Amino acid sequence: MKKTRIMAVAGAMALALGLTACGGSNTSGTGTGSSGGSGGGAAAGGANAAIGKIYNPSDAKGGTLRFGAAGDWDSVDPGDTYYGLSWNFLRNYARTLVVFKAAPGSEGTKLVPDMATSLGKASDNNQTWTYTLRDGLKYEDGTPITSKDVKYGIARSLDKDTFPNGPTYFNDFLKDVPEGYSVYKDKDLANLKSIETPDDKTIVFHLNKPFSSFDYFAQLASTAPVPQAKDTGTKYKEHVISSGPYKFTTYQSGKLLELDRNPNYDPATDPDSGRKALPDKLTVQIGINAADLDNRLMSGDLDVDIAGTGVQAAAQGKILASPDLKKNTDNPTSARSNYTQINTDVAPFDNIDCRKAVLLAYDKTGYQRAYGGSIGADIATSLMPTVVPGHQDMDTYGFKAKPQGDPEAAKAELTKCGKPDGFETTVAYRNERPKEKAVAESLQQSLAKAGIKVTLKGFPSGDYFKLYAGKPDYAKANGLGLLVMSWGADWPDGFGFLSQIVDSRVIRAAGNTNLGIKLPEVDKLIDQALGENDTSKRETIWGQVDKTVMDNAVVLPGVWPKALIYRPDYLTNVFVTDAYNFYDYAAMGTSKK
Amino acid sequence: MGLPTTVFAYLVKRLISAVVLLFIITAVVFAIFFLLPRLGGASADDLASRYVGKSAGAAQIHETAVRLGFTDPIWVQYGRFAKGLVAGSDYYTGAGYDHCPAPCLGYSFITQNPVLPDLLDRLPVTMSLAAGAAFLWLLGGISTGVVSALKRGSFIDRAAMTTALAGVSLPIFFTGLLSLSIFSYGLGWTAPGGSYTPFQENPLMWAYDLLLPWITLAFLYAAAYARLTRAGMLETMNEDYIRTARAKGLREHDVVVRHGLRAALTPIVTIFGLDLGLLLGGAILTETTFSLPGIGQYAVQAVANNDLPKVLGVTILGALFIVIANLVVDLLYAVVDPRVRTA
Amino acid sequence: MSQPSKPTTEASVAAQPDTSETGDRAGRRRRKSAATVNALDGIGGLGAPAPDSFLSVRDLRVHFPTDDGLVKSVDGLSFDLSRGKTLGIVGESGSGKSVTSMAIMGLHKPGTVQMTGSIRLDGQELVGSSPEAVRLLRGKKMAMIFQDPLSAMHPFYTVGHQIVEAYRMHNDVSTSVAKKHAVEMLDRVGIPQASSRVDDYPHQFSGGMRQRAMIAMALSCSPDLLIADEPTTALDVTVQAQILDLVRDLQSEFNSAVIIITHDLGVVAELSDDIMVMYAGRAVEYAAAEEVFERPKHPYTWGLLSSMPRLDRARIDRLRPIPGAPPSLINVPSGCPFHPRCAYADRTGGLSQSQRPPLEEKAPGHYAACHLTPEQRTAIWETDIKPTL
Ligand SMILES: Nc1ncnc2c1ncn2[C@@H]1O[C@H](COP(=O)(O)OP(=O)(O)OP(=O)(O)O)[C@@H](O)[C@H]1O
Ligand code: SF4
Ligand SMILES: [Mg+2]
């Protein structure tokens, strides 16, 4: 009896938390997106005070900035990491050729030279890119950094056998990388001809195809310099030789990382990146219980949740119920889209009017509810998230007017496509993702109102792309007309976000992430963008790609997810950068001593 | 009566069988993690696909499969592992070869770190947690159990047993997080989650940091031990020799403690040994809840990342502790029960 | 001890020749006296304690409230015992023998038992006195030997330790002195190589040795009252005899008062001065040992004697004297509690069924609780019972 009583109390507590979570969401308003670009503006405080502006601007140095990580971390080796948190954080100990500017909002998506003196200089129809290093660059031990070190860093990262985690852009785009190339097997760098270092300051990349956005590759972590003599292969991560403002003092795998100031870092060599290097010390504690991490943030025992993915449900309930806590939060949108692909291979979706019917009919708020309501996501009106440069606001099908769906308009479209009584189709989702299942259920309900009968079909996550949704033959044969999907960009750029999901030419026999967009117009626009060297023109083209996708009604845009991030009020110089969609770790400081 | 030699012979015998048992366990564990997925239809490349970056192509996956040895027959893979245990093995780091001395539990598929040093590094945390908690739960559990048994049916008994029921049934992540938010974040009496100071660095901080995890973990076990002790005491206090002790005119306190408790504790010794052994293999929930960098947390990370060598290493270490605990319990039993010793 | 003691009552029973039917063992019995019994006073009651009685029990009632009802395990019991004398208590299983002895020892758990009446030990009233006061008497002034010596000794402590513990409880001596004493006691009770066996654990002793050790433990503080509750039941015949000899020898040496509880009439015959036969929590016959053996007055005692093992039988069985089961102690039969099983219940004109027979002095110093008239009794004894024995 006693036991049930205790359980009842616990249950009531949980219920109360849940209720406040729902109630609170009304007050939160819609996410701001965070573009605005008025970078540098100061904020007094309050909710979203670090979005598009700087919370607590300060140049005061000192203190220890304490990060906490709940999940694991692929690697701190710049040549072997693909985690956003890692790319954001490693700017503290590794400098790359170019870098996203440490600045609030969309200003943060701007590439600026870091070790290089300027952004890349293209030649040979964007197939050759040249960078020149600044003077006075040094490692933590005082030895100078040369272009050969940058080449070596990239070269070693090509060995995916030793460094499996990082991205493969250089493997894919560099010209003539020998099969199975490894710096450890072939120690003579001269044999890697696609990267040239004519002198200690210059580095030249030769690509196998034109690529106007190469500066995005030049900001990849693997362009951080690595001294060949000090490379210890897989063990290099235990002590990455610093080129940035901080250097490793403690590295305990899966437990702890501590960094102190690097005395050989000269801010004079770093005029553009916006790095502030305010704290004297950085610590990262790894393996913290996620729920406890939130509590520690709120009690001031920890400063930053390094993952930047937002607080857990329990803390969210607590925060939304308390204005005192809520004013210390930000709710930024991420460069991700949780959408549903319409499979044009499956009848009647070969007919645009039938596709439009689905677009009109589905319940946009239902989709949003599946991802945590207005705190968890904004309703998307197109595929490309607001934070990706080039995003243009559009509302092709009037979502804002009828957020719950418009069955009447949908029926009109159905009549046009010759299915006045509706049709039947199947929606695919990943079993291990309850939110995707909730989406599928919401689609089933709302489409039924327009007479479209939807069958649910879940698949194992691990094989979703390899064997099912991403395998066109299978999807077609099994009539998977609607494919629930989620996609995030490696960096906020039209190419980074769109190319792998809309370019018909990337579609293979299996393992696809483009689940069925085959529009010649889109392909043409992509080629145009890749050849365009003017950034703003290029961004406009990406916006057109997005619009074309919407005009052709090939996706249900779903939502752009958001995170509720807690920001202890004693932190200084805090802002969300659109480069990573959470706080910028190269600029942040603390007033706690 | 030649006790030392018999004890020695017994020990040797037990140790040999323990080693054999451990090898059987490694084989079984190895089979579970490496063979079962293959039997389930996964190809070597499928296994390897977990250990490559997200943009890896088929060729790279296959290379990884070869590198991790998945393409070899399972007994060759196990042989390699067993050889590492006995003779050590060498691991390629890119920049050269790293020697992993025996007993080598292998290298992580993901971080490429050797597993054993990680485990040894984390062991003091788990040991500190287990030792402190064990002390508290023995103290709390047994005294509660004794009082409950003596005051059977009284208010104290019922209150204690209700608390014990709560202790046994409430999950640690609930009690742990609740106590953290009350005592650490609310009142500021105890250390926040994730705190750990090695004993040799500062014993006081060590105790301060671990206090809340100790109490939380001890609460769970104390509950069980209180119930066990109570049941044991109720039984032994009805024994004839208790009546004899009273008939001798002994003080009630001596009757209860020296005669009643002494006998009631014997089965508890066994359970305690096994509990402790199990706990040393990783107090998974407590370590996760309090973010303590012990074996249990390592196990959780390993499973979450599907890092087979780590999972294997943790399992074997856990098995080792249980085997040792069994051995110690058997020996201890002989110490506490003369009937076993001199039979 | 070879000196026959004086009769303790004016109505003493003359010593009988050793040719009685109780045979050899009875013959070895020292027929020292008649019962230590005094004047009778109503049901189960005796008068004022005899001046020389060391232990005096009056109208003792020990009741246990249980879920099924009130268990009247002992319900009005009175007897006296002097130093140097032995009282044998016999009766079927469940008749309240152990409950009586535990009551004297103060071993019933307070709160679970209702105890009334009077137990005076050496002039000190035990019923109602503080548990601590009674505890201090235990082991020193009164000691007890239990039925099963294996379960009665703690398995985890050496025999020596357990004796030392008892001795040191009441004597302010060092462990080594106490240990020396323990070795002495073990030697005294006939444990060979006592100085080394003292460190053995109970399970390393044989049954007989264990009982000897129990006796050594009980006698270690030279108690004035020794209660032996079925001390030989678990032992084989030869060992039984040795143990009984031991008890007797030690008794005379220490001049203790002894209560010996048993199912076995042979044992009481050998040891006792007085015998009390219990049935359903009461005394049904109480007299000097010779009286009970030669002129028993109660049908229940007749039954006991009839079922007594013959001399030519080696084995001594537990008594199953009379057909039928012992009565419930919650709902004790009306009238004479024995009447459902008594062969003569119909000879008392309904009295047996309706009225409880008081414990009366049927002959000098010989008490019995039965409605039969003296004539009926003599007739039945002489014609029906005695010849069959
Ligand atoms: N604590 C108790 N609570 C309830 N009933 C009890 C308790 N102790 C003894 N009794 C009952 O009192 C009665 C007398 O028990 P006692 O042990 O005195 O019998 P006994 O004459 O010694 O028999 P035995 O020859 O079998 O030893 C039995 O019916 C027993 O069940
Ligand atoms: S009173 Fe009656 S029943 Fe009782 S013993 Fe005597 S004859 Fe038998
Ligand atoms: Mg008895």
Side-chain angles (χ1 to χ4, degrees):
Chain A
M1 293 169 322
K2 283 276 162 47
K3 180 181 164 189
T4 53
R5 186 117 118 245
I6 289 163
M7 289 316 189
V9 171
M13 277 165 59
L15 204 63
L17 292 178
L19 286 176
T20 52
C22 298
S25 60
N26 294 332
T27 60
S28 71
T30 48
T32 58
S34 86
S35 25
S38 62
N48 291 334
I51 291 179
K53 44 198 188 282
I54 301 174
Y55 169 81
N56 257 353
S58 166
D59 283 324
K61 292 182 189 284
T64 298
L65 196 58
R66 300 160 301 170
F67 293 84
D72 211 35
W73 189 325
D74 50 358
S75 175
V76 294
D77 184 333
D80 193 28
T81 176
Y82 215 147
Y83 282 23
L85 65 95
S86 192
W87 291 4
N88 185 350
F89 185 78
L90 66 80
R91 289 179 298 155
N92 285 304
Y93 60 86
R95 293 181 66 181
T96 45
L97 287 173
V98 302
V99 73
F100 285 111
K101 186 175 181 184
S106 60
E107 188 72 4
T109 64
K110 282 211 176 113
L111 288 172
V112 292
D114 189 353
M115 289 194 300
T117 53
S118 68
L119 294 182
K121 294 194 181 70
S123 55
D124 186 20
N125 186 28
N126 286 331
Q127 292 204 68
T128 300
W129 288 81
T130 305
Y131 296 83
T132 309
L133 298 190
R134 296 178 196 270
D135 293 329
L137 297 173
K138 283 181 187 141
Y139 286 116
E140 61 176 87
D141 57 1
T143 53
I145 295 169
T146 70
S147 55
K148 297 205 170 46
D149 298 337
V150 178
K151 176 177 179 179
Y152 182 74
I154 297 167
R156 74 196 269 280
S157 79
L158 295 174
D159 178 358
K160 291 297 163 206
D161 218 18
T162 311
F163 304 110
N165 296 316
T168 55
Y169 293 107
F170 284 111
N171 301 62
D172 300 338
F173 279 77
L174 284 177
K175 192 175 172 181
D176 303 329
V177 177
E179 178 93 9
Y181 176 79
S182 165
V183 284
Y184 302 114
K185 288 174 202 142
D186 181 358
K187 294 209 175 346
D188 187 1
L189 275 188
N191 294 334
L192 183 65
K193 298 214 167 51
S194 48
I195 305 176
E196 285 179 320
T197 50
D199 57 54
D200 278 357
K201 294 270 175 250
T202 312
I203 184 161
V204 184
F205 297 90
H206 299 284
L207 307 188
N208 55 19
K209 56 183 165 247
F211 188 59
S212 63
S213 306
F214 185 79
D215 277 328
Y216 286 107
F217 292 178
Q219 66 80 37
L220 288 172
S222 54
T223 66
V226 175
Q228 185 165 12
K230 299 231 166 118
D231 182 17
T232 47
T234 56
K235 294 167 95 180
Y236 183 67
K237 61 178 175 289
E238 292 167 20
H239 192 133
V240 175
I241 310 295
S242 170
S243 51
Y246 298 92
K247 62 179 169 64
F248 282 28
T249 53
T250 311
Y251 170 86
Q252 293 170 1
S253 175
K255 277 161 72 177
L256 184 66
L257 177 65
E258 287 181 331
L259 296 98
D260 266 351
R261 284 195 185 280
N262 170 11
N264 280 304
Y265 163 79
D266 180 0
T269 65
D270 192 4
D272 302 317
S273 73
R275 281 188 182 91
K276 290 265 188 189
L278 298 180
D280 287 339
K281 207 174 161 177
L282 305 175
T283 62
V284 187
Q285 204 185 337
I286 300 164
I288 300 183
N289 177 9
D292 186 44
L293 200 155
D294 293 339
N295 285 331
R296 288 176 66 183
L297 278 180
M298 290 187 268
S299 72
D301 282 309
L302 203 65
D303 305 327
V304 191
D305 173 3
I306 200 166
T309 47
V311 298
Q312 306 291 304
Q316 177 167 328
K318 213 152 89 181
I319 288 167
L320 296 179
S322 151
D324 260 5
L325 290 172
K326 187 150 184 276
K327 72 175 169 37
N328 292 339
T329 59
D330 294 290
N331 192 199
T333 309
S334 57
R336 172 170 287 276
S337 187
N338 295 332
Y339 65 98
T340 295
Q341 177 72 49
I342 302 179
N343 189 351
T344 51
D345 288 348
V346 174
F349 290 131
D350 47 347
N351 184 323
I352 186 167
D353 295 320
C354 279
R355 300 203 293 268
K356 282 185 182 164
V358 174
L359 263 157
L360 289 165
Y362 85 94
D363 179 1
K364 288 83 199 170
T365 56
Y367 216 119
Q368 187 185 34
R369 260 197 310 280
Y371 283 98
S374 61
I375 286 290
D378 286 337
I379 291 172
T381 50
S382 69
L383 186 55
M384 196 158 83
T386 50
V387 290
V388 176
H391 168 87
Q392 286 165 14
D393 281 336
M394 61 187 98
D395 188 9
T396 322
Y397 300 96
F399 287 3
K400 284 179 181 148
K402 299 255 179 165
Q404 333 250 301
D406 188 350
E408 296 316 312
K411 279 179 186 153
E413 292 294 336
L414 282 175
T415 312
K416 267 198 240 170
C417 90
K419 299 267 180 193
D421 300 326
F423 55 85
E424 288 186 18
T425 192
T426 300
V427 57
Y429 62 92
R430 284 171 277 196
N431 279 330
E432 290 85 346
R433 302 196 175 188
K435 290 174 178 178
E436 291 195 352
K437 181 160 190 241
V439 165
E441 283 163 359
S442 162
L443 291 178
Q444 188 178 41
Q445 282 168 22
S446 53
L447 295 185
K449 290 181 191 154
I452 303 167
K453 191 168 171 284
V454 174
T455 311
L456 268 49
K457 201 152 194 255
F459 295 99
S461 270
D463 296 322
Y464 193 61
F465 297 110
K466 253 186 289 173
L467 301 180
Y468 308 112
K471 189 172 184 182
D473 288 349
Y474 181 91
K476 186 175 181 186
N478 291 274
L480 306 180
L482 298 170
L483 309 162
V484 182
M485 168 75 178
S486 172
W487 180 254
D490 283 352
W491 57 77
D493 154 66
F495 174 78
F497 183 79
L498 288 173
S499 66
Q500 290 300 311
I501 56 173
V502 302
D503 189 335
S504 72
R505 294 158 299 186
V506 302
I507 297 179
R508 292 163 286 185
N512 292 299
T513 47
N514 178 351
L515 302 184
I517 299 181
K518 290 178 279 190
L519 301 170
E521 263 178 280
V522 164
D523 295 349
K524 212 189 298 162
L525 283 168
I526 291 172
D527 289 343
Q528 241 178 52
L530 290 184
E532 178 55 65
N533 283 55
D534 182 294
T535 308
S536 76
K537 280 187 188 157
R538 198 166 61 219
E539 286 171 354
T540 312
I541 300 174
W542 292 123
Q544 283 167 6
V545 171
D546 192 22
K547 185 166 185 306
T548 310
V549 167
M550 288 316 292
D551 289 345
N552 284 283
V554 285
V555 296
L556 314 185
V559 296
W560 295 310
K562 297 195 296 178
L564 184 68
I565 315 181
Y566 189 82
R567 152 177 43 82
D569 55 6
Y570 54 82
L571 293 183
T572 63
N573 228 43
V574 189
F575 53 84
V576 171
T577 161
D578 283 2
Y580 304 108
N581 309 109
F582 46 99
Y583 299 138
D584 188 301
Y585 298 153
M588 193 185 272
T590 176
S591 60
K592 206 175 203 175
K593 294 297 173 240
Chain B
M1 58 184 159
L3 196 76
T5 50
T6 42
V7 168
F8 184 73
Y10 174 75
L11 262 179
V12 168
K13 213 173 80 188
R14 285 298 307 260
L15 278 176
I16 291 172
S17 60
V19 168
V20 172
L21 183 63
L22 272 177
F23 262 92
I24 294 172
I25 290 171
T26 61
V28 171
V29 173
F30 197 89
I32 289 173
F33 290 114
F34 288 80
L35 187 59
L36 279 191
R38 298 299 293 275
L39 294 179
S43 68
D45 288 6
D46 288 341
L47 285 186
S49 66
R50 298 159 168 171
Y51 309 111
V52 294
K54 52 180 176 178
S55 50
Q60 194 196 323
I61 291 175
H62 184 70
E63 264 175 55
T64 307
V66 174
R67 174 170 60 88
L68 298 178
F70 293 157
T71 46
D72 295 329
I74 183 81
W75 58 86
V76 174
Q77 294 183 53
Y78 177 70
R80 219 170 10 232
F81 174 79
K83 181 173 161 270
L85 270 182
V86 178
S89 49
D90 291 316
Y91 283 87
Y92 180 61
T93 64
Y97 284 89
D98 210 21
H99 182 65
C100 171
C104 179
L105 289 179
Y107 271 47
S108 154
F109 284 169
I110 292 167
T111 66
Q112 332 240 354
N113 286 342
V115 171
L116 188 61
D118 275 358
L119 289 177
L120 294 180
D121 179 47
R122 285 164 174 270
L123 195 54
V125 181
T126 300
M127 280 183 155
S128 301
L129 176 65
F135 175 76
L136 288 182
W137 89 58
L138 282 181
L139 203 73
I142 291 175
S143 52
T144 310
V146 170
V147 170
S148 260
L150 295 182
K151 307 261 178 229
R152 180 186 191 174
S154 69
F155 172 76
I156 297 176
D157 178 27
R158 273 177 290 138
M161 285 305 114
T162 310
T163 315
L165 184 64
V168 179
S169 30
L170 288 178
I172 262 207
F173 50 81
F174 178 80
T175 49
L177 287 177
L178 194 70
S179 55
L180 264 176
S181 58
I182 295 174
F183 298 108
S184 293
Y185 309 126
L187 298 167
W189 292 350
T190 46
S195 311
Y196 175 75
T197 311
F199 180 80
Q200 65 276 15
E201 231 165 71
N202 184 343
L204 270 179
M205 280 309 288
W206 171 79
Y208 173 76
D209 282 349
L210 285 172
L211 190 61
L212 207 54
W214 279 345
I215 293 175
T216 313
L217 182 58
F219 182 52
L220 177 78
Y221 280 90
Y225 278 68
R227 292 162 72 89
L228 272 173
T229 308
R230 181 178 182 271
M233 281 300 281
L234 286 178
E235 200 182 308
T236 50
M237 288 309 282
N238 276 327
E239 293 283 352
D240 286 356
Y241 51 76
I242 295 298
R243 193 184 53 190
T244 308
R246 291 212 174 97
K248 289 197 281 195
L250 295 188
R251 282 184 199 87
E252 190 59 19
H253 175 268
D254 290 340
V255 173
V256 170
V257 175
R258 303 239 297 265
H259 290 251
L261 190 56
R262 174 72 168 77
L265 281 186
T266 311
I268 290 180
V269 164
T270 321
I271 295 162
F272 175 70
L274 295 180
D275 277 346
L276 203 61
L278 213 56
L279 213 51
L280 285 175
I284 292 181
L285 286 179
T286 313
E287 289 176 17
T288 334
T289 306
F290 288 95
S291 314
L292 292 173
I295 306 282
Q297 191 197 54
Y298 189 77
V300 172
Q301 288 176 358
V303 170
N305 296 329
N306 232 312
D307 201 341
L308 292 188
K310 283 188 178 183
V311 175
L312 200 62
V314 172
T315 315
I316 290 170
L317 185 75
L320 175 72
F321 278 121
I322 291 170
V323 168
I324 292 176
N326 257 311
L327 187 62
V328 170
V329 160
D330 283 359
L331 294 177
L332 214 57
Y333 219 100
V335 173
V336 295
D337 191 340
R339 287 171 298 186
V340 175
R341 189 183 342 143
T342 54
Chain C
M1 76 185 82
S2 51
Q3 286 291 320
S5 59
K6 284 198 185 110
T8 49
T9 60
E10 48 279 79
S12 80
V13 179
Q16 296 297 307
D18 283 350
T19 53
S20 72
E21 308 87 325
T22 42
D24 245 21
R25 186 174 286 166
R28 282 165 51 205
R29 169 160 44 96
R30 284 163 302 280
R31 295 168 185 267
K32 289 176 280 192
S33 77
T36 53
V37 168
N38 215 323
L40 240 286
D41 178 31
I43 295 173
L46 299 168
D52 59 344
S53 80
F54 176 66
L55 173 71
S56 175
V57 175
R58 284 296 175 277
D59 197 23
L60 178 66
R61 284 165 211 270
V62 187
H63 296 174
F64 299 98
T66 67
D67 291 345
D68 301 326
L70 192 63
V71 179
K72 298 176 179 167
S73 298
V74 175
D75 201 26
L77 196 66
S78 303
F79 62 87
D80 287 306
L81 182 60
S82 307
R83 283 183 202 268
K85 298 288 177 194
T86 301
L87 170 68
I89 303 181
V90 290
E92 279 173 307
S93 195
S95 56
K97 306 183 296 290
S98 296
V99 168
T100 304
S101 55
M102 300 270 284
I104 297 168
M105 293 290 288
L107 289 176
H108 288 302
K109 202 176 162 197
T112 65
V113 66
Q114 299 167 0
M115 214 162 106
T116 58
S118 159
I119 301 170
R120 295 184 81 84
L121 181 72
D122 203 10
Q124 185 179 351
E125 177 59 56
L126 301 187
V127 178
S129 69
S130 82
E132 183 61 12
V134 181
R135 176 181 76 77
L136 287 171
L137 299 177
R138 280 202 294 272
K140 174 137 191 74
K141 203 143 194 145
M142 51 188 177
M144 193 159 169
I145 304 168
F146 298 99
Q147 174 176 342
D148 182 350
L150 181 57
S151 65
M153 292 189 100
H154 202 293
F156 295 170
Y157 294 112
T158 61
V159 171
H161 176 100
Q162 299 189 48
I163 299 176
V164 165
E165 199 180 23
Y167 188 59
R168 291 194 65 207
M169 183 66 235
H170 302 285
N171 298 279
D172 189 15
V173 296
S174 71
T175 318
S176 58
V177 171
K179 179 132 182 216
K180 216 174 279 165
H181 180 72
V183 174
E184 253 167 53
M185 289 306 298
L186 286 176
D187 197 45
R188 193 93 136 264
V189 297
I191 304 282
Q193 289 127 37
S195 59
S196 71
R197 301 305 300 260
V198 71
D199 291 324
D200 279 2
Y201 289 92
H203 72 270
Q204 293 170 300
F205 274 30
S206 71
M209 281 163 75
R210 253 177 249 147
Q211 194 57 291
R212 283 167 196 268
M214 273 300 290
I215 293 172
M217 184 155 77
L219 294 180
S220 64
C221 296
S222 327
D224 300 307
L225 171 65
L226 177 69
I227 303 175
D229 191 349
E230 304 191 33
T232 57
T233 314
L235 307 174
D236 71 51
V237 190
T238 23
V239 181
Q240 260 185 8
Q242 291 167 0
I243 296 287
L244 292 176
D245 281 345
L246 179 67
V247 170
R248 187 170 48 221
D249 291 349
L250 292 170
Q251 174 193 24
S252 48
E253 185 178 337
F254 291 102
N255 196 31
S256 315
V258 172
I259 296 175
I260 187 147
I261 294 171
T262 179
H263 296 268
D264 181 358
L265 276 175
V267 170
V268 280
E270 182 169 348
L271 282 178
S272 308
D273 298 297
D274 296 343
I275 289 175
M276 180 163 74
V277 180
M278 283 186 76
Y279 188 78
R282 297 187 181 109
V284 292
E285 182 151 13
Y286 178 31
E290 297 87 340
E291 278 288 302
V292 174
F293 278 99
E294 271 123 54
R295 282 173 291 280
K297 307 241 182 273
H298 196 282
Y300 179 65
T301 313
W302 296 341
L304 291 181
L305 288 172
S306 310
S307 70
M308 208 177 125
R310 308 306 305 249
L311 298 172
D312 45 32
R313 274 199 238 143
R315 237 172 62 86
I316 299 174
D317 282 314
R318 287 203 153 233
L319 287 180
R320 303 262 9 226
I322 298 117
S328 153
L329 295 175
I330 295 172
N331 295 307
V332 183
S334 63
C336 173
F338 185 55
H339 86 253
R341 299 165 72 191
C342 181
Y344 316 105
D346 51 359
R347 302 195 191 177
T348 57
L351 273 181
S352 294
Q353 285 74 15
S354 60
Q355 270 183 27
R356 174 192 284 195
L359 185 66
E360 290 171 324
E361 196 165 19
K362 305 288 182 189
H366 192 145
Y367 299 83
C370 175
H371 289 303
L372 290 173
T373 61
E375 298 71 32
Q376 286 174 315
R377 204 174 346 257
T378 314
I380 296 168
W381 167 245
E382 294 296 341
T383 57
D384 292 0
I385 313 290
K386 200 173 173 189
T388 68
L389 291 179

